Amino acid sequence: MLETRDLHKSYQAGEARVDALRGITLKILAGEIVAITGPSGCGKSTLLHLLGALDTPTSGQVYLEGHPLHSLNDDKLTALRRLKIGFVFQFFHLLPTLTVEENVLLPLLLSGRVNPLARARARDLLTSVQLADRSHHRPHQLSGGQLQRAAIARALIHQPSILLADEPTGNLDSASSNAVIELITRLARKEKTTVLLVTHSQSVAATADRQIQLVDGRIQS
Amino acid sequence: MNWLRTFRVFLAHGGRDFFRHKTLSLLNLTALAVGVAAIVAIQTVNETALRSFRASLDLVAGRPDFTVEGQGFRLPENLIPILRQDPAIRELTPTLTLIASLPSHPGEFIHLIGVDPFSNTELVTYRLQDTLLTPADATAFVSEPNTIAITRPLADRLHLKIGDSLRAVSGGHQANLQIRFLLEPSPDLIGADDHLAIADIATVQSSFGLLGQIDRIDALLLPDADGKITSAQADLLTRLTPHLPANARAGSPERRGQEVGKMLGAFQLNLTALSLIALVVGMFLVTNTVAANVARRRSELGLLRSLGLDRRSVIFLLVGESLLLSLLGSTLGIFLGLQVARTLLHSVSSTITSHYVLLSMTDIAVNPWSLLLAGLAGLLAAGLAAWWPAREASLVPPVDALQPGNSADRASSPHSLALRPALLCFLLTLIFSATALYGRIPRTGFLAALSILLAAAFLAPSLGRFFARLPSLPFPSAILARSAFSRGLHRHGLAAAALSVAVAMAIGVTIMVHSFRATVDQWIGESIKADLFIAPSTNLIAGALEPLDPIAESLALATPGVLAVGTYREVRLFLDGLPAKLAACKLDVLRIHNPLTLLSALPGDPYELCQKGDYALISENFARRRRLQPGSSISLPTPTGLRSIQVAAIFRDYTSESGLLLLDRATYQRLTQDQGLTSLAIHLQPGISAQAVGDSLREQLRPRGEFLIYSQAGLREEALRIFDRSFAVTTLLRTLAIAVAALGVTLSLTALGVERTREIGILRATGASRTQILRTIMFESAYLGATGITLGIVTGFAVALILMQVINRAFFGWTIDWHTPYPSLIYVTLGMILACLLASLPPAWRASRLSPAEALRSE
Amino acid sequence: MKKLLSILLLCLATSGLNAADPWTHATTPWPWSFPRDHGSHPEFKTEWWYLTGNLDDAKGNPYGYELTFFRHGLQPKPTQPDSAWSIRDIYFAHLAITDVQSRRFIFSEKISRGALGEVEISQKDMQVRLADWTLQRKPDSTLQMAASDPVTGIGLELSATPLKPLTLQGQKGLSRKSATPGNASHYYSFTRLQTSGQLTIAGKKIPVQGLSWFDHEFSTSALGEDQEGWDWFCLQFDSGDELMLYRMRNPGNRTDPASSGTWIPAHGPSLPLKSSDFTILPLDEWKTASGATYPSGWKISIPSLQITGEVQPLLLDQELRLKRTSNIRYWEGTCRFTGTRNGKPLSGRGYTELTGYASPIGQGMKE
């Protein structure tokens, strides 16, 4: 369902040219949970951005369910993100003025699909992430683990084909980390969502179906 | 702690920061520059007005040690022998001044000064040049009769050269003057009126029927043993006073400048206050930018703090940086201001001429001190504005500052809603209004206006919060914008405050000007009853009060169809140290054909009282400023001595800012010996065409010189034209403040855009489209605009109230009826909304163009 | 005889000798009648009362003074007679004091149109006043003068009593200035006046006494067309005699034949001198700061009287640099004479006047 071919990405950082990705070819099957690991600066996040339709490659191809992400314009990419992709970030990033429930509904809000059905789904999801009693709280009233659980619910609300998580446990203690990873795998399996986890934690990576290790912008086989 | 070294590091950093955030820094710079420019422009124009007046004065009178001047009326020349005998005087010279129109050059005039070239050699600052460009002496100047010297600019403009003759008309007298010399002012007298012309005093006296009269005597004194003349001036004044006529005013010539300063004082204060508001608005913007700057550079500050920089240094560094930026902004503002001053010059000079004194300004006079002062005001404003956010930054614990995270999340939100300071400012408004109205400190009226503006500024964040709590429109962008706006109140609060101040000022001034205009218009409608008006053309062209050709009155009386001819005479003088106008009318005509709106009067018929004895009618503002009632008495200095005049009645009038003292013509002539008239009001019999009578009079008067003949509608138009011109500068300043406020909207949104880059990235990642981001930011701007504009409109009404009921009353004493200019208010409001939307476009566009991946990477 | 005013006149480019000239010209001797002729003659264009003198203070320190009143007619009938400021004549006065001891020469000037009583000049006797500068002839024939200028700190209050009757210069008082008839003035002098009173210098009053010389001259057109200026001398000898000489300078520094002089012996009638009777040779020169060059020191010989000697100025710089009238400059200063008459020593003091050397006057002269 997700496939890349000889993916390259370079940046201009001042005078120097940084080659973040140097020919990534991979294939991820529907329903798979894949962990991308590697040391800092190996290109994990860059890869995630390319796979998540946030950025376009310098060269090479990315296909998401057959859509050639490398050749789509911004509007099409946005539409894909809106419909098929869910994100979980290291720093949670809930909008502080919206309630937890509103935050969860944000992707649907942006695509104008907030309806009673959607609300019911949001409540279900919040129940699944054990935040049903917190749905009308504001983000600043929640702990880190709770925030990340809410973020997971937000990432899944629109039933994306793929969930991209960028260091989802990077800012959490180990108890919360375990809970979050457990939640992601459980919900992904339940919703049949493909998951791509970027992490440098071996214990987190170990929970995945498969690990892809990146070193210096290349896949370490 | 080595402050300087740290400062250097910080500066290097700050400098780079400037270029990294060019837009923000440039906006900030512009805001400050516009604020400073407004001050510079107004100061420069004011300065130019005074300087130009003095230069014209100095050109003919030089810089005497002592001056005797007739106010309102001329002086008898036989004062001169008395002064000559005084041992303290070593030189003295008379001048006799008039404004003459030039029939062969319609619309032009000369400001003719009769001088004695033999006694003024030590005082004059001009040179006379003949065709060979050789300087001429006194004897050459008087050796042929009717010799005149005019300035080169005037000669060039009228295509006149040495040897030509020039017909000049004044007060029904005509003279054929021979141009034999050009008048070259000394180089330090730039700005002197180029209408100035010099002739021998004998020529002026005998050609224009002014035998035995002079306007002023300028004298040089002998210094005392210490080389000073101050005591000599005082002693001389004591010795002379018993010999001087009541209308003569003697003293040091600085006094004259001070009086002109006083006359123009209210006018200039008005403009200065408005220009300060532009700076205040600019100040809000600087605060905003510095705050944004601080937020963005938290981690940097945290680092410096953790490395040992103390709190005071943090403040010092941030304020210092802002000062450096404002140095650039102020410099820019000074140049901009001078440019603005140049464009304002004409309008200000004609306003001053029509209301105060004859003035013609050609180029601005730049006073380096006022420029420096304006620059310092800009620096001070920037320093003050930076202080608050800098202090706040200094209070953040270093550990917190070093923590990663969205800076906007952590920026302090306005928890203290500043209701208390708002209340305090409101109280101050009341207090200052009271001191202005009842404490006889008119200037505090401006403080009242400032306080109400500040109260509004303090309320802005609360109102913003209130708006953010209202349910939003059911669009995703609107919902997001509401959330963003409420979270951005730490920034938007200030922008909204600036906006509300600008809007309040704009609305206040709009209502005031409109009400004033409507009041004046209505009053003109009620008070201008005559069908035709005749005045010498110079009175319009030059704003002079030259007497009308007496033939006009007899011609008018003899014209068939004329029912009655009212006369009007007006002179300007100082009464009890305040400028005033003394006027005279044929009250028998006035009472029947054009009765005044009397506000209060002595028992009996006030018109009759005035016709029989030393009674006067005074205008409302004259009464208010001097606290007079019917029955009060006024000491009137006249050529026949100091006369005690009783107030018979108070009437409504808008013709003079300084107030009007109206006498019956007969009383006036008896007291002042002045037979002159300033204008005529002709009442026609029913059914007679004003056009036809006007044409006939125009035809008959043509050979006598240039006259203005107005119909009723024409006069009304002319009055309103002068009114509008007087407020032209006000309108410009209003626009300037709005422009600065709109800049503030852009600035605020840009700052937030920079702060929120990452958040925009998340929204984009979550599926927000570019259009949605664009719309969100425009909606946010709408929230900001709504807050500022709503508050501004409400405050604007309060400002209008203060302008009309406090400042106007305290300074001028007019009654202005409230007229709400609904269409204008709607235009101003719509204009502001449009300005907000336009202002939001650049930052919105910028945010929508962010690449989501890069936005996510940034921190 | 002093033609200073003629120069002013020419400078001012006013009318000269034209057919419709409304002014009276000096063509025939004047029917003198005193005291009336001590007063003003407004039918003539130019008139002056001119006093110079050499005085000593109690310690014998020498001083010189000049006090002159000029009347210059602009038009015989004023054009604006109804105004108090209407002009017929312009009046000037010059005051100069030389303090030989402290090498100071200080001068002052006044100019007036005479409006509102600023100037009074009688047509009956010598009663001249310009502001507070006065010259009056008292019933006892004493000339009383007073003038002061607080700005420059100089002043004088002197009375001068004639020791000799007045001398009519030239031909019965008709003094020719050039070959052209009418270029002449009516001119008389008091050549020796016993003078006493006080001078004021730098605000300090100094009692003085000594001798003065007085000229009264009126004319309409005195100067020849191409004359450049003149050198004029009045000398009062210790012997009781006086000498007046003037040399009119034609182009090329040539002496105009109309130059002349008068010898006034201690007793007896005065003797007119023709230009051929005397020679005046400059001995040295003095350059002003402005670049003009004046002669300084002269050898004078009058063979017919057997007089030779040198005139030396007591101070080099005695130039009046006037500001109020087109920067007119002339040199008028106290001098000493040393020489012989008939082989016996002859000495005396006097005044010298040099005009036309500083450029503005030269310009005016050539008109």
Side-chain angles (χ1 to χ4, degrees):
Chain A
M1 74 146 304
L2 187 61
E3 191 179 352
T4 72
R5 284 178 209 151
D6 194 25
L7 209 52
H8 283 261
K9 180 71 183 178
S10 322
Y11 302 104
Q12 202 67 31
E15 304 267 298
R17 192 181 141 91
V18 178
D19 295 318
L21 296 178
R22 312 176 181 202
I24 305 282
T25 303
L26 57 75
K27 212 171 220 176
I28 290 164
L29 303 174
E32 235 186 335
I33 297 180
V34 177
I36 300 176
T37 61
S40 276
C42 69
K44 298 186 301 263
S45 293
T46 307
L47 181 59
L48 198 73
H49 290 161
L50 290 178
L51 298 178
L54 286 171
D55 210 348
T56 47
T58 313
S59 71
Q61 294 101 45
V62 194
Y63 293 95
L64 175 63
E65 292 188 330
H67 298 282
L69 301 189
H70 52 273
S71 61
L72 295 181
N73 65 15
D74 187 80
D75 288 343
K76 296 241 168 72
L77 288 176
T78 304
L80 276 176
R81 285 201 300 273
R82 192 181 277 176
L83 294 171
K84 299 200 177 293
I85 303 171
F87 277 100
V88 174
F89 299 99
Q90 181 179 2
F91 294 113
F92 331 129
H93 290 314
L94 299 186
L95 295 184
T97 47
L98 302 182
T99 62
V100 170
E101 187 183 303
E102 284 166 341
N103 262 296
V104 170
L105 280 167
L106 185 61
L108 297 180
L109 178 76
L110 289 171
S111 45
R113 288 185 284 157
V114 180
N115 49 37
L117 218 67
R119 287 185 196 282
R121 173 164 166 77
R123 273 194 298 277
D124 284 352
L125 269 175
L126 280 171
T127 313
S128 318
V129 299
Q130 290 147 19
L131 286 174
D133 54 336
R134 303 265 162 167
S135 61
H136 293 290
H137 286 181
R138 303 236 168 195
H140 64 90
Q141 295 165 304
L142 268 56
S143 70
Q146 289 171 325
L147 287 172
Q148 198 59 306
R149 296 202 313 262
I152 292 166
R154 180 179 70 187
L156 292 171
I157 183 79
H158 54 306
Q159 292 171 301
S161 325
I162 184 161
L163 173 70
L164 299 170
D166 189 358
E167 301 275 13
T169 60
N171 246 23
L172 297 175
D173 57 49
S174 58
S176 306
S177 293
N178 292 340
V180 161
I181 293 303
E182 190 270 332
L183 197 60
I184 290 176
T185 35
R186 183 163 56 84
L187 288 175
R189 304 251 188 255
K190 184 180 156 205
E191 309 242 330
K192 301 206 169 36
T193 307
T194 313
V195 176
L196 207 60
L197 271 172
V198 164
T199 180
H200 56 255
S201 151
Q202 268 313 312
S203 60
V204 170
T207 62
D209 298 341
R210 180 151 70 97
Q211 292 188 29
I212 295 172
Q213 201 177 356
L214 283 191
V215 173
D216 284 343
R218 291 195 181 90
I219 294 175
Q220 188 98 352
S221 36
Chain B
M1 174 83 256
N2 189 334
W3 276 40
L4 269 180
R5 194 173 304 158
T6 323
F7 192 49
R8 216 153 49 207
V9 171
F10 197 79
L11 270 189
H13 207 101
R16 255 168 266 151
D17 200 70
F18 180 96
F19 288 106
R20 232 176 32 175
H21 300 284
K22 270 185 229 107
T23 336
L24 262 185
S25 311
L26 278 178
L27 281 174
N28 196 15
L29 213 69
T30 316
L32 202 68
V34 172
V36 170
I39 297 187
V40 167
I42 294 310
Q43 290 303 326
T44 303
V45 168
N46 285 349
E47 189 91 30
T48 307
L50 275 185
R51 185 93 72 93
S52 157
F53 180 79
R54 291 204 179 117
S56 301
L57 202 67
D58 285 354
L59 181 71
V60 281
R63 278 146 201 153
D65 302 326
F66 195 85
T67 298
V68 183
E69 197 176 6
Q71 62 151 339
F73 313 96
R74 297 200 161 94
L75 294 174
E77 67 189 7
N78 53 29
L79 271 181
I80 288 178
I82 299 171
L83 264 72
R84 270 185 196 143
Q85 276 162 21
D86 196 283
I89 294 178
R90 70 179 171 88
E91 296 284 341
L92 64 84
T93 192
T95 45
L96 172 59
T97 308
L98 55 85
I99 309 291
S101 62
L102 308 173
S104 39
H105 303 273
E108 279 291 354
F109 66 98
I110 49 172
H111 187 178
L112 182 62
I113 321 273
V115 299
D116 172 20
F118 296 95
S119 56
N120 73 0
T121 42
E122 272 198 64
L123 279 157
V124 285
T125 41
Y126 61 80
R127 284 193 318 157
L128 298 175
Q129 288 191 336
D130 61 14
T131 35
L132 299 169
L133 296 178
T134 49
D137 72 2
T139 320
F141 193 65
V142 297
S143 59
E144 291 191 39
N146 294 331
T147 294
I148 184 178
I150 62 174
T151 62
R152 193 178 293 280
L154 187 73
D156 291 346
R157 200 160 66 232
L158 305 186
H159 306 292
L160 290 170
K161 55 186 189 309
I162 290 176
D164 289 351
S165 70
L166 186 63
R167 194 155 71 94
V169 177
S170 169
H173 297 268
Q174 305 210 10
N176 252 320
L177 302 170
Q178 308 299 319
I179 302 167
R180 290 191 206 283
F181 299 96
L182 289 179
L183 191 62
E184 293 283 328
S186 79
D188 59 325
L189 292 182
I190 28 162
D193 188 352
D194 53 16
H195 294 103
L196 284 172
I198 303 282
D200 186 54
I201 190 166
T203 303
V204 178
Q205 278 192 345
S206 67
S207 302
F208 296 99
L210 297 171
L211 293 176
Q213 303 184 54
I214 54 174
D215 278 314
R216 47 188 277 150
I217 301 170
D218 290 297
L220 290 174
L221 305 188
L222 285 170
D224 62 13
D226 304 327
K228 295 203 175 99
I229 54 161
T230 330
S231 61
Q233 281 171 338
D235 295 348
L236 177 60
L237 189 59
T238 321
R239 282 195 301 274
L240 280 184
T241 306
H243 302 287
L244 296 177
N247 70 312
R249 281 142 35 79
S252 78
E254 286 82 47
R255 190 194 38 110
R256 175 75 174 139
Q258 283 160 7
E259 277 176 8
V260 173
K262 212 169 183 175
M263 255 195 289
L264 301 183
F267 172 72
Q268 299 191 330
L269 188 65
N270 195 351
L271 294 184
T272 307
L274 283 173
S275 68
L276 277 176
I277 287 178
L279 188 73
V280 168
V281 172
M283 228 171 116
F284 278 107
L285 303 188
V286 174
T287 311
N288 211 348
T289 324
V290 175
N293 199 11
V294 167
R296 218 172 46 236
R297 293 165 70 186
R298 282 173 69 80
S299 54
E300 181 191 329
L301 286 171
L303 183 70
L304 285 173
R305 291 275 282 123
S306 70
L307 291 177
L309 191 74
D310 62 30
R311 289 196 162 146
R312 270 192 321 176
S313 309
V314 170
I315 298 179
F316 173 79
L317 291 178
L318 284 171
V319 171
E321 200 183 293
S322 160
L323 284 180
L324 274 183
L325 189 68
S326 68
L327 195 66
L328 209 63
S330 295
T331 315
L332 211 70
I334 287 172
F335 286 105
L336 192 67
L338 291 179
Q339 214 41 53
V340 174
R342 268 189 202 102
T343 60
L344 287 181
L345 210 56
H346 180 70
S347 123
V348 170
S349 113
S350 30
T351 301
I352 291 178
T353 300
S354 40
H355 293 292
Y356 309 98
V357 286
L358 173 58
L359 192 65
S360 141
M361 302 190 279
T362 45
D363 197 13
I364 54 167
V366 179
N367 180 348
W369 287 110
S370 356
L371 296 190
L372 196 69
L373 219 63
L376 284 180
L379 284 181
L380 191 73
L384 277 177
W387 188 81
W388 181 254
R391 201 186 78 102
E392 209 146 279
S394 78
L395 292 177
V396 176
V399 188
D400 278 13
L402 280 171
Q403 282 269 324
N406 190 324
S407 54
D409 290 348
R410 289 165 180 273
S412 69
S413 61
H415 284 302
S416 55
L417 285 179
L419 281 173
R420 242 175 293 170
L423 201 65
L424 183 75
C425 286
F426 188 70
L427 274 179
L428 282 177
T429 309
L430 296 181
I431 293 170
F432 284 135
S433 303
T435 52
L437 283 178
Y438 309 109
R440 313 210 78 176
I441 321 170
R443 279 168 187 242
T444 56
F446 287 101
L447 288 179
L450 188 70
S451 306
I452 195 79
L453 289 175
L454 276 180
F458 279 121
L459 279 178
S462 310
L463 188 71
R465 174 148 299 191
F466 171 75
F467 274 122
R469 287 203 181 133
L470 293 178
S472 82
L473 293 172
F475 303 118
S477 330
I479 295 162
L480 286 174
R482 183 179 70 148
S483 119
F485 176 68
S486 91
R487 250 186 344 125
L489 268 177
H490 61 286
R491 202 106 306 141
H492 290 331
L494 280 168
L499 194 59
S500 66
V501 168
V503 173
M505 198 199 89
I507 300 265
V509 167
T510 307
I511 296 177
M512 188 270 283
V513 172
H514 177 83
S515 301
F516 200 1
R517 197 180 194 277
T519 309
V520 169
D521 195 12
Q522 192 182 342
W523 172 81
I524 292 173
E526 287 163 7
S527 65
I528 297 187
K529 297 285 188 223
D531 301 294
L532 282 170
F533 298 85
I534 305 183
S537 68
T538 41
N539 292 6
L540 176 76
I541 307 164
L545 292 172
E546 288 296 309
L548 181 71
D549 191 338
I551 210 93
E553 191 185 1
S554 36
L555 272 178
L557 282 168
T559 305
V562 169
L563 183 63
V565 175
T567 65
Y568 185 69
R569 175 61 173 152
E570 182 183 291
V571 292
R572 291 169 183 163
L573 39 72
F574 267 77
L575 278 180
D576 316 316
L578 289 174
K581 282 183 180 174
L582 173 63
C585 274
K586 264 163 81 176
L587 288 183
D588 53 342
V589 174
L590 194 74
R591 69 176 305 177
I592 295 167
H593 298 285
N594 202 357
L596 300 168
T597 313
L598 296 184
L599 299 173
S600 58
L602 286 179
D605 184 336
Y607 292 101
E608 241 167 57
L609 281 176
C610 290
Q611 281 166 268
K612 281 183 187 151
D614 290 357
Y615 284 89
L617 306 170
I618 61 173
S619 73
E620 179 191 21
N621 55 348
F622 188 95
R624 273 213 187 114
R625 293 177 77 183
R626 294 179 169 76
R627 322 230 140 175
L628 298 173
Q629 304 290 333
S632 313
S633 62
I634 303 162
S635 285
L636 184 68
T638 72
T640 61
L642 204 60
R643 298 309 183 111
S644 175
I645 309 284
Q646 262 203 300
V647 176
I650 296 171
F651 64 98
R652 179 158 292 180
D653 172 81
Y654 295 94
T655 58
S656 161
E657 165 194 311
S658 43
L660 205 60
L661 177 80
L662 184 65
L663 298 172
D664 183 53
R665 187 185 185 181
T667 315
Y668 174 84
Q669 290 183 343
R670 173 166 53 81
L671 296 181
T672 66
Q673 311 283 302
D674 173 21
Q675 311 295 319
L677 291 177
T678 310
S679 60
L680 295 180
I682 300 172
H683 301 269
L684 300 178
Q685 282 158 3
I688 300 292
S689 151
Q691 178 76 39
V693 175
D695 288 348
S696 138
L697 281 172
R698 196 169 284 124
E699 204 46 51
Q700 293 178 73
L701 284 169
R702 193 185 305 284
R704 309 281 307 174
E706 239 188 306
F707 293 86
L708 295 171
I709 301 181
Y710 284 119
S711 65
Q712 200 180 84
L715 187 69
R716 181 187 185 131
E717 226 167 72
E718 180 56 29
L720 289 176
R721 193 180 67 82
I722 290 174
F723 180 92
D724 291 341
R725 197 174 54 195
S726 310
F727 283 99
V729 180
T730 315
T731 313
L732 185 112
L733 283 174
R734 181 182 71 181
T735 317
L736 217 58
I738 291 179
V740 176
L743 264 179
V745 173
T746 313
L747 191 65
S748 187
L749 291 168
T750 310
L752 275 172
V754 171
E755 269 175 47
R756 289 206 205 116
T757 306
R758 176 150 183 154
E759 191 184 314
I760 291 162
I762 291 159
L763 276 171
R764 296 279 278 128
T766 320
S769 67
R770 284 187 171 165
T771 328
Q772 277 176 324
I773 299 288
L774 190 84
R775 269 196 230 132
T776 305
I777 291 184
M778 288 181 69
F779 267 117
E780 193 175 344
S781 152
Y783 270 103
L784 174 55
T787 309
I789 294 170
T790 312
L791 194 58
I793 291 176
V794 175
T795 317
F797 275 84
V799 170
L801 200 66
I802 291 173
L803 287 175
M804 281 189 246
Q805 298 303 330
V806 180
I807 295 180
N808 157 58
R809 266 181 188 250
F811 275 98
F812 311 117
W814 278 310
T815 296
I816 304 178
D817 302 327
W818 186 285
H819 294 261
T820 312
Y822 293 106
S824 302
L825 289 190
I826 290 167
Y827 292 145
V828 169
T829 311
L830 287 179
M832 288 308 306
I833 292 171
L834 193 68
C836 283
L837 285 180
L838 283 179
S840 73
L841 273 179
W845 179 254
R846 186 179 167 277
S848 74
R849 290 287 113 182
L850 276 177
S851 138
E854 259 174 61
L856 280 170
R857 246 195 309 275
S858 91
E859 176 66 359
Chain C
M1 93 96 236
K2 302 177 182 147
K3 275 183 255 165
L4 176 65
L5 244 264
S6 318
I7 294 162
L8 298 183
L9 208 152
L10 286 165
C11 277
L12 309 175
T14 48
S15 64
L17 278 166
N18 59 46
D21 190 348
W23 301 99
T24 307
H25 288 258
T27 45
T28 52
W30 187 253
W32 297 99
S33 139
F34 294 98
R36 188 262 163 266
D37 283 324
H38 288 314
S40 175
H41 302 81
E43 64 270 41
F44 291 87
K45 196 159 180 166
T46 301
E47 181 157 22
W48 60 77
W49 295 260
Y50 218 118
L51 279 141
T52 54
N54 283 283
L55 308 171
D56 297 314
D57 66 9
K59 291 182 197 148
N61 293 321
Y63 297 88
Y65 82 89
E66 173 205 350
L67 176 65
T68 320
F69 292 89
F70 302 94
R71 178 185 64 75
H72 171 62
L74 273 187
Q75 53 236 340
K77 285 210 176 71
T79 41
Q80 290 120 354
D82 45 355
S83 166
W85 302 88
S86 90
I87 297 190
R88 184 193 185 282
D89 303 289
I90 307 164
Y91 305 90
F92 314 82
H94 297 164
L95 168 67
I97 290 181
T98 311
D99 177 353
V100 178
Q101 187 66 24
S102 30
R103 316 196 60 73
R104 275 187 296 190
F105 174 75
I106 308 161
F107 56 88
S108 170
E109 63 179 315
K110 272 196 189 301
I111 183 167
S112 170
R113 66 200 293 159
L116 297 164
E118 193 170 31
V119 175
E120 279 177 330
I121 299 185
S122 162
Q123 289 186 34
K124 293 185 177 129
D125 197 347
M126 194 190 302
Q127 306 292 338
V128 182
R129 181 179 67 78
L130 197 172
D132 54 353
W133 291 11
T134 55
L135 169 63
Q136 292 175 319
R137 203 180 71 95
K138 296 285 162 191
D140 65 353
S141 296
T142 301
L143 307 189
Q144 241 176 353
M145 60 199 114
S148 69
D149 174 15
V151 177
T152 52
I154 56 169
L156 53 76
E157 272 177 68
L158 300 172
S159 20
T161 312
L163 297 178
K164 290 185 184 177
L166 61 82
T167 303
L168 295 175
Q169 306 282 17
Q171 179 204 354
K172 292 181 186 167
L174 181 71
S175 170
R176 289 187 177 280
K177 312 301 180 192
S178 83
T180 318
N183 278 356
S185 67
H186 299 295
Y187 180 10
Y188 70 85
S189 310
F190 284 113
T191 58
R192 187 171 288 253
L193 298 121
Q194 181 61 50
T195 308
S196 65
Q198 58 184 25
L199 299 180
T200 307
I201 300 175
K204 221 179 91 195
K205 289 187 169 24
I206 304 161
V208 285
Q209 51 183 334
L211 291 179
S212 296
W213 179 292
F214 169 79
D215 284 337
H216 181 196
E217 191 162 358
F218 47 95
S219 62
T220 291
S221 63
L223 208 58
E225 253 177 43
D226 51 0
Q227 288 174 335
E228 283 177 347
W230 62 82
D231 308 339
W232 176 91
F233 302 86
C234 74
L235 297 168
Q236 293 157 322
F237 301 106
D238 301 342
S239 58
D241 310 313
E242 292 94 32
L243 175 68
M244 187 278 286
L245 290 177
Y246 64 87
R247 183 171 85 87
M248 303 302 297
R249 299 199 311 278
N250 284 347
N253 201 16
R254 284 178 298 108
T255 304
D256 191 293
S259 305
S260 67
T262 309
W263 170 256
I264 305 105
H267 307 285
S270 57
L271 175 73
L273 299 169
K274 298 191 296 292
S275 66
S276 53
D277 293 338
F278 58 89
T279 57
I280 301 172
L281 289 174
L283 297 172
D284 204 348
E285 50 183 45
W286 172 70
K287 274 195 161 61
T288 67
S290 62
T293 306
Y294 284 96
S296 184
W298 298 263
K299 185 173 168 57
I300 289 179
S301 5
I302 311 171
S304 56
L305 293 172
Q306 292 198 306
I307 292 175
T308 58
E310 281 186 14
V311 173
Q312 285 295 345
L314 296 186
L315 190 64
L316 278 178
D317 180 4
Q318 298 188 72
E319 186 193 37
L320 281 91
R321 294 178 279 271
L322 303 168
K323 291 195 178 113
R324 301 211 160 176
T325 41
S326 284
N327 295 322
I328 281 177
R329 292 175 175 200
Y330 66 101
W331 196 100
E332 178 96 30
T334 172
C335 301
R336 185 179 297 283
F337 177 89
T338 39
T340 56
R341 182 179 184 209
N342 295 328
K344 283 181 227 146
L346 180 69
S347 66
R349 286 157 80 177
Y351 251 77
T352 303
E353 179 175 281
L354 309 167
T355 66
Y357 290 101
S359 54
I361 290 187
Q363 285 302 108
M365 295 279 302
K366 289 196 180 72
E367 203 158 316

